[in-house]
Every structure is written in C-alpha cells, then in structure tokens.
Amino acid sequence: MISLEKLTTYAKQTGFIYQGSELYGGLANTWDYGPLGSLLKNNIKKAWLKKFHDENRYNVLLDSSILMNSQVWVASGHVGGFSDPLTECKFCNTRHRADKLIEEHTNFTVNPSSWTNDELHKYLMDNQVGCPNCGKVGWTEIRAFNLMFKTSQGVTESAGNTVYLRPETAQGIFINFKNIQRTTRRKVPFGVCQVGKSFRNEITPGNFIFRTREFEQMELEFFCKPGTEIEWFNYWRNYCINWLKDLGLKQENLQLHDHDPKELSHYSNATTDILFNFPWGFDELWGIASRTNFDLNAHQTQSKESLEYLDPETNERYLPYVVEPSVGVERLLMAFLTQAYEEETLADGQIREVLKIHPALAPYQVAILPLIKKRHEEKSLELLEIVSKFTQTTYDETQNIGKRYRRQDQIGTPLCITVDDETLEQNTVTVRFRDTMLQEKVAVADLQAFIQKHVSF
Ligand code: ATP
C-alpha cells in the first residue's frame, strides 16, 4: 500500500494534484486539481451520476445554489449546532478536535461522538491523552466551534445580510422537495441527486485531500413512506457498496461501520459508514444515514409552509422519511489512487510504476503513439481525431516508445495504440494493454468497438 507521502509526491509530479496557491507560498490544506486530477474527478462524478441518476429509475437531478437564505441553516440546526468540540494544547497552543483526539488515542475503540464537552475534557485528562504536536498533556476547556463559513451579501455588512457557504449540499434538496415533487409529478418513493461544492471550516484539516475546508459532495436524498425507510436504507447501502466494487475497490479494503443505536445522531434511526483502508488505516469514505423526517419537518416548521405529501393511492398526508448516502468526491479520488497505485518489479529488475485504475475512471482511456514521429505522425493525428470523439484520448510523440508506454502506465491509461508501418500499409494498429503489457493487432475499422468493449462501464 502506498504511503501518504508517496501518494502526495506522485499526485503532484504526474499532474493530478498541486498545492493550492503554491506560487504565493501556498494556502494551507487547499489543493488544485491539475490536468489529470480534473479528468479523474470528472470521471468519478460521471460514474456516480450514471449509477445513481441515469440508471436508477427513482432518482432525478438538482443543482441548487451554494448561497441560500440563512433561515435554511437556522432550520436545519447548522447555525445553532453544526460545531466540533475545540480544545487547545496549553503547552504549544495548537488547536484540536477533542473527539478525534480520543478516537485516535483509542484506535477507534471508543466513540465519543455523542459526549458532552465536560465528558470529552474529563476523558482527555483522566486518560492522559497527549498532544499530537508536542506530546504533553494539558487541555483547555472545550468549546463548540461552528464550522460554517460566514460572509455577507450585498454592499453593506450587517447581521441582516449574513449568508453562509453551504456546509453540505443536502439542504438545497430539502428546500426544493415540494418544487421537485410538483414539477416532476413523482410519487414517493423518489430520490434527488446533487453534486456540488461544500465548505466547512474544519479545525484539523489534513491527510492530504482527505479532510479539507472546500470539497465536493455527491449526495442523494431519497424520500420514502414512513415505515419503509429501513428497507430503503438497506437497498442504498448495498447499492453504494456494489458501485464501489464495480469500480474496482477490493473487498479487503472496505469495511462497514454500523453505528450502535446508542451512538446515533438525534435525527437518525440507522447509520452506516463505509470505511476505506487509507494509507493511515480504515477511515470514513461514505456516510449513509436514515434521517427520518427531521429535515423536512424542520423546514416545515421554520417556513410555516406545509411540506407534506399527499399519497394519491391511500389519500394519506405525511412527511416523507429520508435516506441519505453522502460521499466526498476527493475522498473517493484518494481511495481510487491509493488502491490503484502499484510498483511492479519486471523480469529485467526494473520497477514499473502503474496505476491500475478502472478504465472508466482513468484520466485518458486511450493514448495514441506514432512509432516514428516523422513517418507516422499524420496517420496518428487522423486517428486521434476519430478516437477522441468517443473516448478521452491523449497523444504523445516524444521519446522512445518504451518510455511513452511507461508514462501512460504511470497515469493509468488502459490502452496504448501504436501507429506503425503496418497502419499505413494494412490499416491495423498495435494495441498494448496497461495491466498485462500484452499487445494485439486490431484493424482500424474495428477500433471503436474494440475500445468500447475494453473501457466501458
Ligand atoms: P467528520 O465527522 O469526519 O467530520 P462527517 O461524518 O460529519 O465527517 P458527513 O457530514 O457525513 O461527514 O459528510 C458526508 C461525506 O462528505 C463524508 O463521508 C466525506 O466523504 C465527505 N466529507 C465530509 N467532510 C469532508 C471534508 N472536510 N473534506 C472532504 N470530504 C468531506
């Protein structure tokens, strides 16, 4: 398994991920996605939308705004309670999340998520939990630190025009529940998918792109009849796991953490976290929660507008219950890179760096390589134009063919197409496979079907 340090260096050197604002000395914990990283991110989002929207008959799509009326966040409980327990080391003045200190100290055998601030502080002191920075034990009283970024809208700054950067995309879905239900004439059960940026002023961001203050979420809010939510919760839980496995994450790198009923958030009656084996061990990748009617009820109360659904079959009125699978794009990207990166020792003793990522996620599915630039460039560019119409394709004419194959292996391109004299004479190309390094002759006329067979998802 690749180390965190190696992963960061690899991602930077290949053009997947750069440090944010590097030119000006950086801005801590911000990252820019380079040419390969942006393609990979897009492919992850495409694959999620394909599975959760295009191929699922229950779900529709939404793109709501990041800035919303601040009443939304009052109703959802974020203004009052979206906070983490902040404590400061009395010796080196670094700030930490008390719950995370305890989780790490106990290797996740203790779950302090529902403890009071006093309970957290007592545990830190009684168990001599040391500061991760200086190692000493001495913690200030814990206070709730609200994670929402606040700004103001318009030309004057006053309490009346405070707006927040959304800390999750979900609330945009809840406040549009009635609009969507009415305009699509959907019957419950149905779901709403959304992909978009979220912002949280995290106390301890870190572990590369695992926890950042700006990130992208892919969320589904699935509305169902009260009493059926556990059935749907199981349906979506399996759906998410199967999707991860279809995209190549191995069973041994995935774990399910079903929350103990005593640990559940006040609004939830079932929660499972899908954990992935990141370079530092298993950690949360995807949260799936059955959220009852907590959010719709909160918005109904705050807005004084009925959000009830009238069941056309039974004539019953009710607030639907909600199942929410919520995952971060960057965390998924990190999981895919972590698992896919391999260093293989070849027969001649050389090390081959290869990214064995699912072909549908690979930044480029195909690389077109003229064997000899002078002789094969024209035909190669002709092919590039054709192939890039139906799949993501790159072109490389620099250095010898062996080096070019290695470069494509390193960035995960599953198929390299070499244009040589036989292409000019017989209209065939040599296709070389990333994982096996085997080669095959393919007629140009059959190329589209051949590529699609090997890269589609
Ligand atoms: P934690 O307790 O670790 O702060 P959470 O359980 O509150 O996180 P959720 O609100 O359930 O996280 O968020 C849903 C998903 O969004 C997470 O499973 C993760 O994939 C992603 N996510 C949440 N916070 C961040 C972040 N700061 N950076 C990157 N991804 C995040």
Side-chain angles (χ1 to χ4, degrees), residues 216-254:
E216 239 175 320
Q217 287 185 308
M218 302 191 288
E219 296 197 294
L220 165 67
E221 305 303 319
F222 190 77
F223 301 94
C224 61
K225 189 172 181 180
T228 64
E229 72 277 11
I230 297 301
E231 212 177 294
W232 284 111
F233 174 78
N234 290 328
Y235 170 91
W236 288 111
R237 194 171 171 271
N238 289 334
Y239 203 84
C240 296
I241 298 164
N242 289 339
W243 182 72
L244 292 174
K245 288 191 188 157
D246 288 348
L247 284 172
L249 292 190
K250 293 183 191 146
Q251 176 76 48
E252 73 233 39
N253 286 329
L254 295 169

Side-chain angles (χ1 to χ4, degrees), residues 82 84 97 99-100 103 147 167-168 200 202 205 209-219 267 273-274 283-288 324-332:
F82 189 57
D84 280 337
R97 255 177 80 170
D99 56 337
K100 293 286 165 203
E103 279 176 7
L147 301 183
E168 59 177 35
R200 296 182 188 179
E202 298 277 3
I209 55 170
F210 179 81
R211 188 182 298 284
T212 49
R213 294 190 171 110
E214 170 182 346
F215 55 99
E216 239 175 320
Q217 287 185 308
M218 302 191 288
E219 296 197 294
Y267 51 77
D273 294 333
I274 303 179
D283 213 332
E284 177 175 331
L285 174 64
W286 202 330
I288 304 161
E324 174 197 78
S326 169
V327 65
V329 179
E330 295 83 356
R331 277 202 195 169
L332 261 175

Side-chain angles (χ1 to χ4, degrees), residues 55 63 92 105-106 114 134 143 160 171 189 198 234 278 300 304 384 419 453 457:
E55 292 175 4
D63 183 0
C92 68
H105 180 75
T106 59
S114 53
C134 70
R143 70 180 172 90
Q171 298 304 325
S198 294
N234 290 328
F278 287 100
Q300 177 169 268
K304 302 188 180 64
L384 175 66
V419 174
K453 183 176 133 207
F457 169 57

